[in-house]
Amino acid sequence: MFLTISTTGDEQHPATDLGFLLYKHPDNPFSTKLSYGTAHVLYPEADARRCTAALLLEVDAVALVRKGKGKGRGGAPDAALAQYVNDRPYAASSLLAVALSGVFSSAMKGVCRARPDLPGQARPLRVEVPALPARGGPELVRRLFEPLGWTVTAEPVPLDTEFPEWGASRYVRLALDSTALTVAEALRHLYVLLPVLDDAKHYWVSSDEVDKLLRAGEGWLPGHPEQKLITSRYLSRRWSLTRQATERLELVRLAEADDSEVETIDNAVEAETGTEEKPAPLAEQRRDAILTALTRSGAARVLDLGCGQGQLVQRLLKDPAFTEIVGVDVSVRALTIAARRLKLDRMGERQASRVTLLQGSLAYTDRRLAGYDAAVLSEVVEHLDLPRLPALEYAVFGAARPRTVVVTTPNVEYNVRWESLPAGHVRHGDHRFEWTRAQFRAWAEEVAGRHGYTVAYEPVGPDDPEVGPPTQMAVFTLTVAKEAKAA
Ligand code: SAH
């Protein structure tokens, strides 16, 4: 197996910086014994204009098989090897990936002690693998690498050049070009995607593989259009591991989805409405409307579900009528920001006893949420994939069952009033859907009917005669009959 990484440069940014990044000096060929063979790093060319590092892996098939057989159930320490032994003599790409991480481990982490300025810099890169086993062919190769910023050349390698009629082999000749990526990113893409393309059956021994995948996938795997395929193939279709990885990736994605964008767009709308008296930002109007609904319901103990960075919790704390306020969010990062905003660590004891922040997912029933007077879902439902919405519905209306539930969500009809929003776009990159007034009401009626609530609607923000308000709000109230029945 053979792989090259090349870069170009000039006198100021010499291509030979690649040697610093890879921790391998262009003048000194490097070899290291791995448990299944030998890895060599050499530089076929190295000057200021062009520098190429080649990683050559000589696989010792005998050692591979012998060591593979030697691994008993008791667990020989040589896990690196045991994991890759399988029904084929060996999974070449996986070995190459393991060699990459072994030989270029600092480079993969983006560490460069000698030149700390280098790892963060994107540079022109070309990666070539003359013979890459690729199940799914050139088409899949493109689907995997192109979203990451690579220009992909993938040509099928004929089974036998003398007999073209035999067709293509399962190998492609791969070349990747980019000017937008760092060496560390390039190595982490290869570390994950080469074995994914090989798709050999490995017998992974532990869930360490999930950690490795998430570590190498940091910054690019969450949100990759082929995330599912990558995860499933990388984890050899062991679905329990795959599910574990998928759930953790979902958490990462949610933690990264910042709601600041919501406020930015809200503020842009306000700027565009251009009334003389500057109206409060929409987010503030929303909190006003929620507070009014909660006060009207007489609630004292309130859940803010999907509380984000804690703006509503902060607002509720100012009103002594609310004796207990619980903010719940799946994102640890959002909760950390909320805790900082509320100055939880410097709060007096009395005040602190009124507020709790909980990490949890609304897609699961959670006993901690039972027994409250009211729950708020402010701009949250649209962050869930539609198929997960029934799970949230059950967790809130079926299990937690507060007397009052206040739900707000964008009204998609209003989007045409926003000049800054291109037609057909949602307001936030993380919104899975945005509803018309009719769609929201249809959903709300069904939920209310199923769980014994009545529902009333209120506009939030300017109620446009044609397209309605920018935010729609539903206030659900548990009906006494059902409450008695449930009790
Ligand atoms: N309620 C806040 C934040 C809205 S942004 C406001 O009105 O400004 C949506 C929030 O829902 C994010 O903080 C996100 O982390 C959270 N969220 C999304 N899916 C969730 C889930 N399944 N469980 C809990 N919180 C979730």
Side-chain angles (χ1 to χ4, degrees), residues 29-109:
F30 168 92
S31 294
T32 187
K33 271 221 158 300
L34 303 168
S35 47
Y36 49 81
T38 311
H40 307 276
V41 180
L42 41 123
Y43 288 79
E45 55 184 346
D47 59 39
R49 305 209 157 276
R50 234 189 119 71
C51 182
T52 297
L55 172 67
L56 172 69
L57 186 63
E58 275 182 292
V59 177
D60 179 349
V62 176
L64 195 63
V65 172
R66 188 177 334 113
K67 292 211 180 186
K69 280 195 178 135
K71 164 135 193 345
R73 271 199 157 257
D78 194 357
L81 173 77
Q83 287 167 6
Y84 298 101
V85 175
N86 51 69
D87 56 338
R88 289 168 38 199
Y90 49 83
S93 302
S94 301
L95 296 180
L96 190 65
V98 173
L100 271 176
S101 75
V103 173
F104 299 131
S105 68
S106 298
M108 238 173 99
K109 289 187 201 118

Side-chain angles (χ1 to χ4, degrees), residues 254 259 263 286-287 304-308 311 328-331 334 360-363 378-380 383-384:
L254 288 169
D259 61 347
E263 305 245 342
R286 204 153 42 218
R287 289 191 281 274
D304 183 7
L305 304 175
C307 64
Q311 291 95 333
V328 181
D329 207 286
V330 74
S331 159
S361 171
L362 302 168
S378 163
E379 309 294 288
V380 172
H383 287 263
L384 272 86

Side-chain angles (χ1 to χ4, degrees), residues 13-304:
H13 306 282
T16 43
D17 282 349
L18 187 62
F20 284 106
L21 283 163
L22 297 178
Y23 273 68
K24 299 287 172 282
H25 198 288
D27 294 341
N28 307 331
F30 168 92
S31 294
T32 187
K33 271 221 158 300
L34 303 168
S35 47
Y36 49 81
T38 311
H40 307 276
V41 180
L42 41 123
Y43 288 79
E45 55 184 346
D47 59 39
R49 305 209 157 276
R50 234 189 119 71
C51 182
T52 297
L55 172 67
L56 172 69
L57 186 63
E58 275 182 292
V59 177
D60 179 349
V62 176
L64 195 63
V65 172
R66 188 177 334 113
K67 292 211 180 186
K69 280 195 178 135
K71 164 135 193 345
R73 271 199 157 257
D78 194 357
L81 173 77
Q83 287 167 6
Y84 298 101
V85 175
N86 51 69
D87 56 338
R88 289 168 38 199
Y90 49 83
S93 302
S94 301
L95 296 180
L96 190 65
V98 173
L100 271 176
S101 75
V103 173
F104 299 131
S105 68
S106 298
M108 238 173 99
K109 289 187 201 118
V111 174
C112 182
R113 247 174 290 127
R115 293 283 305 279
D117 56 311
L118 288 180
Q121 292 170 16
R123 57 183 313 137
L125 290 174
R126 182 175 177 87
V127 174
E128 288 180 70
V129 188
L132 174 71
R135 213 172 70 89
E139 170 57 28
L140 181 63
V141 176
R142 273 188 283 276
R143 274 175 21 225
L144 293 180
F145 283 100
E146 278 175 354
L148 300 172
W150 293 103
T151 304
V152 177
T153 317
E155 292 158 2
V157 174
L159 206 51
D160 190 315
T161 38
E162 294 198 10
F163 301 97
E165 65 275 19
W166 288 4
S169 67
R170 57 189 294 274
Y171 290 82
V172 300
R173 169 189 295 281
L174 173 70
L176 302 169
D177 288 281
S178 172
T179 52
L181 296 166
T182 66
V183 168
E185 287 168 326
L187 291 173
R188 293 196 280 119
H189 296 166
L190 295 168
Y191 175 76
V192 173
L193 296 179
L194 297 185
V196 162
L197 281 164
D198 191 354
D199 195 26
K201 286 195 202 74
H202 312 289
Y203 298 109
W204 303 124
V205 288
S206 73
S207 59
D208 285 1
E209 291 306 323
V210 175
D211 293 327
K212 284 187 201 157
L213 174 64
L214 295 184
R215 225 176 298 132
E218 198 186 314
W220 64 268
L221 183 53
H224 189 295
E226 297 294 343
Q227 183 191 307
K228 270 203 189 117
L229 177 139
I230 295 169
T231 312
S232 144
R233 279 198 182 186
Y234 187 89
L235 298 171
S236 306
R237 302 202 171 81
R238 290 258 311 264
W239 72 268
S240 64
L241 292 185
T242 305
R243 199 186 51 180
Q244 204 184 95
T246 305
E247 283 180 358
R248 286 170 57 182
L249 284 164
E250 178 74 357
L251 291 180
V252 171
R253 190 186 61 72
L254 288 169
E256 281 170 357
D258 200 305
D259 61 347
S260 59
E261 212 177 316
V262 176
E263 305 245 342
T264 317
I265 294 186
D266 284 353
N267 293 339
V269 183
E270 301 312 333
E272 278 164 22
T273 54
T275 43
E276 279 158 37
E277 229 178 294
K278 199 172 170 293
L282 185 56
E284 222 167 278
Q285 295 187 42
R286 204 153 42 218
R287 289 191 281 274
D288 283 341
I290 293 168
L291 194 83
T292 307
L294 289 176
T295 305
R296 211 170 35 212
S297 77
R301 304 176 63 240
V302 179
L303 297 166
D304 183 7

